[in-house]
Amino acid sequence: MNSLQVRRTLLVGLVAFALLMVPWVFGAFTVSTFTRALVFAVLAMAVNLLTGVAGLPTLGQAAYFGVGAYTGALVSIHWSELGIVQLLVATLAGVVAAVLTGPLAIRGRGVAFLMITLAIGEIGYSAAGRLDAVTGGTDGLSGILPVVVLPGGEGLVNEGLIYYYVLVVAVLAYLGVGMLLRSPFGLTLRGLRDNEARLRAVGYRTDAYALGAFVYAGGLAALAGSLWASSQRFVAPGDMGFEIAALALLAVIVGGVGSMWGACLGAALVVFTRDYFGQIVSGHAPLLLGTLFVLAVYLLPKGIAGGRAQWRTLFPRSHAEHPTAEVR
């Protein structure tokens, strides 16, 4: 194991230890904020899969997030309190919704794709507000039972236990996305982003790959939605509105487009800026989010994940002192 692998292993271990210690160090409100950040990280990974990996910028993942949230909530109320059941049914619902809407979305690229996904999100938001008998309308859907991890077990009501439940699912989702990106399918998605015309010229069905990415991202966003319903125990149309879609895209931009760990870190920054620091500076959360975005674009235009190289560009004096550094 070389030094780089050792450093990465130590960093992963340190991050894992810090995440495990959260309920032991912080109070209930901060732990619940960490829980929301983890849920948002899963949603940001779904957005990044399309925006950063496949080159399909999206503002529609909040729709599938909402589908998963409402499905998970309805399963909890009417069928099963088991978390695995809620997650599977919600993810399946997100996949079905993405299969139905994906063929329309992938007909466009760039701005056209962005606007189509925005329209899909707005349609979902409007439908959630009007289907009173299913979603509770603008009043939202309450009465969601505490999630149960194992059959016959007790429902999770302690913030720390809910946090650990969401953490485990989020880590599994992260590993699943990592496996996808290392597969031939994931490599083809990067080719789709970099040069779709060349892929098409050598015989790849690029629309099929784009649809596959869209469906996977829809299921992943729905998984995040189910976690949201389990942790918050309340779902409203605003949970699938434009604000959620925009914040998810902001998380990807701040963290670094194309980097999954960057998207997760960006999601944490966005959630803590809005929910934690926004509470400290009451009523100024939008101002704080705007400041975060401006600082990220100015100081780290490639996001946190690309920060090292960007800082060298912003502060080149150290390179002037060592001219041989440019030759390596």
Side-chain angles (χ1 to χ4, degrees):
M1 186 179 294
N2 58 40
S3 59
L4 179 59
Q5 291 175 323
V6 171
R7 287 198 298 270
R8 286 180 176 174
T9 301
L10 290 175
L11 180 60
V12 170
L14 181 62
V15 171
F17 176 76
L19 289 173
L20 290 173
M21 289 301 295
V22 165
W24 299 92
V25 175
F26 299 104
F29 175 74
T30 305
V31 172
S32 68
T33 306
F34 270 101
T35 301
R36 291 192 295 274
L38 288 171
V39 174
F40 214 69
V42 179
L43 177 60
M45 285 192 288
V47 174
N48 200 27
L49 179 63
L50 289 176
T51 302
V53 178
L56 300 170
T58 177
L59 279 171
Q61 292 311 108
Y64 310 104
F65 179 81
V67 167
Y70 277 111
T71 302
L74 291 171
V75 169
S76 171
I77 295 171
H78 300 293
W79 185 15
S80 174
E81 302 170 28
L82 275 176
I84 185 64
V85 175
Q86 296 172 22
L87 292 172
L88 290 176
V89 176
T91 302
L92 178 61
V95 167
V96 171
V99 167
L100 294 176
T101 56
L104 172 64
I106 64 169
R107 295 177 68 88
R109 293 292 188 271
V111 175
F113 182 86
L114 185 73
M115 298 311 295
I116 292 172
T117 57
L118 174 60
I120 291 172
E122 289 302 301
I123 291 171
Y125 170 74
S126 178
R130 293 176 180 272
L131 298 175
D132 294 13
V134 179
T135 65
T138 55
D139 293 332
L141 189 62
S142 57
I144 302 171
L145 300 175
V147 65
V148 175
V149 176
L150 298 174
E154 296 290 331
L156 304 182
V157 293
N158 179 274
E159 288 291 348
L161 295 178
I162 295 171
Y163 166 82
Y164 282 131
Y165 167 71
V166 175
L167 175 63
V168 169
V169 178
V171 169
L172 292 176
Y174 184 88
L175 295 176
V177 172
M179 292 176 61
L180 176 76
L181 296 183
R182 288 189 295 270
S183 70
F185 180 81
L187 296 176
T188 305
L189 291 184
R190 291 191 175 93
L192 181 69
R193 174 196 63 196
D194 296 336
N195 198 325
E196 182 177 358
R198 180 174 293 180
L199 277 181
R200 193 182 295 114
V202 297
Y204 281 87
R205 298 174 57 192
T206 55
D207 282 349
Y209 281 94
L211 180 60
F214 194 90
V215 170
Y216 191 99
L220 187 61
L223 176 73
S226 179
L227 290 176
W228 181 263
S230 297
S231 59
Q232 305 303 307
R233 295 176 60 189
F234 178 77
V235 183
D239 294 328
M240 60 191 307
F242 174 76
E243 180 183 357
I244 298 299
L247 289 177
L249 187 58
L250 174 61
V252 171
I253 294 172
V254 170
V257 177
S259 169
M260 288 301 165
W261 70 262
C264 294
L265 185 55
L269 285 174
V270 167
V271 170
F272 270 87
T273 300
R274 184 192 66 174
D275 296 350
Y276 190 83
F277 297 109
Q279 289 286 337
I280 297 175
V281 188
S282 181
H284 293 85
L287 176 62
L288 294 176
L289 285 170
T291 303
L292 172 65
F293 180 67
V294 170
L295 290 175
V297 170
Y298 178 73
L299 297 176
L300 298 170
K302 292 185 180 179
I304 297 171
R308 186 177 178 183
Q310 297 170 77
W311 278 107
R312 289 176 178 173
T313 303
L314 287 171
F315 303 101
R317 286 179 295 180
S318 59
H319 292 273
E321 297 170 3
H322 304 280
T324 56
E326 296 294 329
V327 179
R328 292 199 298 266

